[in-house]
Amino acid sequence: MAVDTETPRMSCAHQSWNLADSAITPEAYYLRRREFLRVFGLGLAASALLPPGIRAEPPGLNDSLNPSYKLEGVKFTSEDLVTSYNNFYEWGLAKDQPKDLANRGWKTRPWPVEIGGSCANPRKIDVDEVIQLLGPIERRNYRHRCVEAWSMVIPWDGFSLAKLVDFAQPKPDAKYVKFTSFFDPANCPSQRSNDLPWPYTEGLTIEESHNELAFIAVGLYGKALRNQNGAPLRLVIPWKYGFKSAKSLAKIEFVAEQPKTLWNQLAPNEYGFYANVNPNVDHPRWSQNSECKRFRTDSSDENIGQKCIASPSPLSLLKGEDRMRVRPRCVIAETPHLSSLPFSKGRGGRRRAVWKVDVHQKFFRKSIPAYKCATCFS
């Protein structure tokens, strides 16, 4: 059959559906919009009511600030830094690798979460159903303290961990809660190696899981969690060092024996099971008495007069004694109202904060140095 290659095409009248390429919504924005609708149960017709900015941002959250965790006057770490300076070793050891490697097609929807062990309500449930069952979403402003001696102040969105525990109905013999992250070596480069005992595991006592500060985050800065921050749901335990806040949770189990946790297995002499923030107890290889406060990504980060301690290599371990281990009944915790507590002069004239919290909340009378920031040991 002969094909006429010379006769020009007839021009057709402009149609309303014949749009220029420049008018097409980028694929990434469209997928985020669909995720927003899926998480919060909105129909397709409701998408027309969304403000235009939603389509160009990560999915927003219908949250409200819990006034008990407002942290009046405290300076937050910039959203850009929170989402680009991450310890997430499944995606590499460098702080900037997770933002890149975790966003090369890795999907966190749909996302099944397994609840099991010694509980009356075991089940496998999708994360979106978890959010619907345990909502509404609330915002809490927490300080995040890394064991590497740096900190951030982050507005998290989520729900109390106690809600999830009560939903599972643990049996009397359940003394601990074990948290297991995802295992996906096909997508995660680090999980293809034997450098760490994958998948990532962490644990809390059953009493700690009921503490009012324990939190499950599904977002930050009013938007759904980014992959590099532990999407779609992660632990946030503000009175413990950051490695206790396991990311991208896939399984939650109620167990009778203290669970093995990744860093405690790798270096029990440096990373105890309890790992409560305590500026008076040094890590075997560096001091915990000062820290670098992370605020922005530029060179003008404010360190409040403290020496900025370089982050140690995560695998240069196995020296020193286990000085981080704290007795389970000796929990040193940051409270939302620390700034309103009375101060007293300590040794050498240093101001010290002393507080007493109800024993049923598993906090006990303690003294710790009072630093410049009510939510930050600096």
Side-chain angles (χ1 to χ4, degrees), residues 12 86 121 128 322:
C12 60
N86 308 110
N121 193 20
D128 294 335
D322 183 11

Side-chain angles (χ1 to χ4, degrees), residues 78-97:
S78 71
E79 182 180 355
D80 180 61
L81 183 57
V82 172
T83 57
S84 61
Y85 189 86
N86 308 110
N87 279 335
F88 201 168
Y89 295 134
E90 287 86 339
W91 303 104
L93 301 183
K95 299 287 192 291
D96 59 351
Q97 284 183 300

Side-chain angles (χ1 to χ4, degrees), residues 123-256:
R123 63 176 60 194
K124 198 167 188 177
I125 183 173
D126 187 78
V127 64
D128 294 335
E129 189 176 352
V130 172
I131 293 172
Q132 292 175 357
L133 287 172
L134 303 182
I137 300 299
E138 65 176 82
R139 176 177 294 190
R140 295 188 181 188
N141 302 329
Y142 275 161
R143 172 192 167 278
H144 176 87
R145 174 63 153 84
C146 182
V147 72
E148 296 171 356
W150 56 265
S151 71
M152 296 181 177
V153 180
I154 304 172
W156 297 103
D157 303 285
F159 50 85
S160 170
L161 174 58
K163 287 186 177 181
L164 189 149
V165 174
D166 292 342
F167 171 76
Q169 300 178 35
K171 296 179 180 179
D173 65 328
K175 306 301 181 185
Y176 297 88
V177 188
K178 179 182 179 181
F179 301 90
T180 304
S181 295
F182 72 102
F183 185 63
D184 186 6
N187 286 301
C188 300
S190 295
Q191 288 188 338
R192 300 182 203 126
S193 72
N194 294 320
D195 291 338
L196 295 172
W198 304 114
Y200 197 99
T201 53
E202 260 306 336
L204 299 172
T205 66
I206 199 71
E207 293 85 3
E208 288 174 325
S209 72
H210 276 107
N211 188 276
E212 63 181 358
L213 297 176
F215 200 59
I216 293 285
V218 299
L220 55 83
Y221 270 99
K223 303 168 187 174
L225 278 178
R226 280 55 152 205
N227 288 357
Q228 65 268 27
N229 293 110
L233 76 168
R234 61 168 290 169
L235 273 178
V236 179
I237 311 296
W239 73 89
K240 294 180 180 288
Y241 290 111
F243 67 87
K244 294 292 292 184
S245 296
K247 304 178 183 73
S248 301
L249 299 177
K251 183 185 294 186
I252 300 168
E253 300 172 271
F254 298 88
V255 297

Side-chain angles (χ1 to χ4, degrees), residues 95-110:
K95 299 287 192 291
D96 59 351
Q97 284 183 300
K99 183 177 182 179
D100 175 25
L101 299 179
N103 290 288
R104 295 185 178 183
W106 186 56
K107 304 298 183 183
T108 58
R109 292 295 197 284

